[in-house]
Amino acid sequence: MDYLMTTADPLPSLDPAAKVGVLLYDKTIEVDAILVAAIELIRAQGVSVAGLLQRFGERLPNGKRSMWVEDISTGQTIRLDQPRGPGAVACMLDPDALARSACLLQRAVGCGADVIVVSRFGNAEADGSGMRAEIADAICSGAAVIIPVRYSLLDDLEGFLGGPASLLLPSPMAIADWAEDVVVGLNAATERA
């Protein structure tokens, strides 16, 4: 279990939260690059992956960067931010784009993939909106779920999960190993049932 930052059993009693791997990040961690590499490794193990990746684009006049979400299966992208000009300081998240992204995540959950990647558990989800319902559906779907979250929002995510998260090391190989172990454990539990 050298992929976890904790020593918890990854599948105790098949608790839904036990199959959620949380990738903590801050400004020093290239979370998107780590996830792209992890997805390649997971697929190389013969495990199916679906869901969303968040990406950042060009720097905007206000100093922030544009935000995009990409459907892992199709490559379809949606811009998440609303350009508001150099003086904008309020939330730039486009509610319509977030709703369209939620539909992509819901479609990913329904495709039956072994692993679902959620783009982020962010401020909107911490506040009770955003893609909370779709994230809950992913967790309840029977798939292993990978969720990146900023350190500052970990308590909110664990409140949403109803307990401590399985914290993944920020390493593509560690994430891929965790995903394979969870999928194997879920498959074995399904065969015994």
Side-chain angles (χ1 to χ4, degrees):
M1 274 213 272
D2 55 350
Y3 43 76
L4 291 174
M5 294 170 56
T6 65
T7 57
D9 179 359
L11 294 173
S13 337
L14 292 179
D15 174 13
K19 59 189 185 70
V20 177
V22 175
L23 178 57
L24 286 174
Y25 70 93
D26 59 19
K27 291 180 181 182
T28 67
I29 297 174
E30 293 291 332
V31 67
D32 302 318
I34 291 169
L35 284 174
V36 167
I39 290 166
E40 289 177 14
L41 291 170
I42 293 167
R43 286 180 171 158
Q45 296 169 340
V47 176
S48 60
V49 183
L52 304 175
L53 286 172
Q54 185 171 314
R55 300 192 185 269
F56 290 96
E58 75 280 359
R59 183 117 0 236
L60 302 171
N62 65 1
K64 295 185 179 188
R65 294 172 63 192
S66 63
M67 294 183 301
W68 300 80
V69 69
E70 177 185 338
D71 184 312
I72 293 168
S73 301
T74 66
Q76 177 183 354
T77 60
I78 297 174
R79 185 169 183 167
L80 291 174
D81 63 308
Q82 297 174 340
R84 294 189 178 180
V89 291
C91 179
M92 296 177 31
L93 190 62
D94 179 348
D96 180 61
L98 186 60
R100 289 183 288 136
S101 298
C103 290
L104 291 179
L105 184 56
Q106 192 64 50
R107 185 170 48 201
V109 169
C111 79
D114 296 317
V115 177
I116 302 292
V117 177
V118 174
S119 57
R120 297 284 196 275
F121 184 92
N123 289 328
E125 289 76 22
D127 291 340
S129 59
M131 290 194 263
R132 277 179 80 104
E134 292 75 18
I135 294 170
D137 287 346
I139 293 168
C140 294
S141 72
V145 180
I146 300 170
I147 305 175
V149 64
R150 285 192 322 267
Y151 281 94
S152 62
L153 295 176
L154 179 60
D155 288 343
D156 294 294
L157 176 60
E158 288 183 333
F160 173 71
L161 294 175
S166 296
L167 304 179
L168 302 174
L169 294 172
S171 150
M173 185 58 74
I175 294 167
D177 288 347
W178 173 86
E180 182 180 31
D181 286 352
V182 171
V183 169
V184 166
L186 290 169
N187 289 342
T190 302
E191 289 172 10
R192 286 193 304 265

